[in-house]
Each structure stands twice: as C-alpha cells, then as structure tokens.
Amino acid sequence: MDAQDKLKREYENKSIYTAGFYADPDNDLQNRQKLFDTLKSLVMNQEADTPFALQIMLTNSEINIMPLGLVNLDELKEYESKKRVTHGLQNQNDSLPLVIQYSPHTDGGKIIKKMVGSVQELFTNFNQQIEIIWQTVKELMQANFATLTAIENDLITDSHDVYKEYLATFSKMTSTELKEQLGFRIAKDELAQFSAYMADMHEVQAIVLSSGSFVNRELLEKNSFTTMMSDNIRRSTLFWVLDNTFYEIYYYFYMSNSNEKLHKRLQHLRQDLIVNMRNDAFHRAQEMTAKQSQNVDFNEYFTDIFIPVAEQIIAEINKFKD
C-alpha cells in the first residue's frame, strides 16, 4: 500500500482535529501544561487514525505538531520509500511518524522539521511520548526566543541613537522654541527623560506600524472589516498578530532595563496588560463590526491599542527611576 492509499484509507471522510495556543515566551511551566492538556485531550477523545494538527503560536513564529503527510503528501511518500529501502518489505507497519515543524515568520527564517516517534506511540504510551515531544518543543521555543532577543537588541540599539538625536536637538532650543515645537513647556533638566520617552515611542511605533501594515496587506486587503472578521483563519491570525505585537513591545522595555526589581514588577503586570490589550482589541473589533465599518486602517487600530500599553509600561519604569 503506497502513502497516498494509506492516507486515503485513514483520513477519508474525517475532518481534521485542530487545536492551538499562544506560548508565553518565557513561561516553560505554563507552556508544558498547555501542551500536555491539549495532547491529552486528543488521545482521550479521538482515535489514532484521526488527522490532527496542534498549532503553537510564538512571537514571530509557530510550531505545528501533526502526522507526517498531513500538509504535504509527498513527504510521507518519500519517507516510506526510504523505509522500504532500509528495512525491506518485511518490516512494514501502519504507524505514521509524528512531525514537529518550526516555521519562523522572519526574513530568511528556515523551516525546521523533526520526527518524534509516531502517532500510534502517542496514543499507546502517552506519558513517555509527551516528555519527548515537550523537550523538542522547548528546544524550538528557546531558538525562537533567541530570535526575539536579537530583534529587541536591534530596536534597543536604534533607540540609543534616536535618543541622542532628540537630546541634541532639544538641547539647542530655547524654552520658547521648545514650547512652540512640542506644544507645552518643559524644563531643561527634564529633556533627558523626555528624549528617552520619545526614543522609546519611536521604537514602539515602528513595531506597531509593522504589525498594522501586515494586517492591512495580508489579511484585510480589499475586503471590508466585517468580511475579514467572518473568516476564521483571518480572524485568528489577527489575534495572533495582536499577541505578537504585545510581546515585542513588552520585551523591548524588559530587555532595555537591567533592574531586577523592575523585571519582577513587569512580570507581575504582564498578565493584566495582555488581558486588557486583548479585551480592548476585541471591544474595538465588535464596535467596527456593529458599525459595518468599511474603510478600516489597521495602522490606526494597532496604534490606538498599543500606545496606551507602552505608556503604562513607561510609567512603571519611571516609578523605579524616581
């Protein structure tokens, strides 16, 4: 039986069982629990021949756990051909390899695929397989966090240059010129902190506009907002981009400061910040859907959501400075 016949026999007339979650960039305990719960639900409620795909969304990437051949049948055909060459026809069985696929959403990012046991082993020996799967997922998450760190370091380096430019420009102005330029009075001894604020917001705006432009270009296109939101894939992708944007902004500020007490404070606030962001985004989406909004600009949508988030984080940082 070739791979195509095999998949047809096992998958015919069956819908794909899907699940997913957004992985916190540095909370391994929570991520492992989510992975455990999701796969445990699969083996308790489905059969081993059920087609399934578990999607783990990360900042700037995703991990998919699925049977080999679910997305690309040729991969399974190639695997079975190699297996026949190596083991011959006598050692054939019907087990399907389990694939963990890491897909970075960055320029030049390369897809990584790792086969970890089989689907049948997951169902028959769950406790052993879940640990093997978790170790591979954890390794890929760590690689992804290294990518996130590199992105943040670039933003932080740029912010230092922007800060110097702002401070140099403002320092040359008189009090009257500053008021005319900024629209409010500012004391000379406050210029450094204000320049730092402006540099931070410059980087935040870069993150926000990148996200907004992606949604405008790839998700909204020429559709109305309501049409876009009625498509399950586009809607879920929008909320992935929202989480992605939040973590890029959060870790920009987190990595910009080395104060351990500040780190603990930001970690304490993070859950509330992201929940409030999601609620705000959902509320705004509901309002635009109710109004049947046609001309939606996601640059504005993301700006209205994330500038207050950034300002709240900056306020917390300034409390520690003061």
Side-chain angles (χ1 to χ4, degrees), residues 237-253:
T237 303
L238 168 63
F239 284 97
W240 167 75
V241 176
L242 286 163
D243 275 14
N244 193 82
T245 306
F246 172 85
Y247 280 117
E248 282 201 25
I249 291 172
Y250 172 85
Y251 279 103
Y252 164 75
F253 288 108

Side-chain angles (χ1 to χ4, degrees), residues 284-302:
R284 292 175 188 274
Q286 283 185 313
E287 285 187 334
M288 289 190 286
T289 300
K291 293 177 182 177
Q292 297 292 308
S293 302
Q294 297 296 319
N295 299 319
V296 174
D297 182 354
F298 275 99
N299 286 328
E300 295 179 6
Y301 177 81
F302 275 73

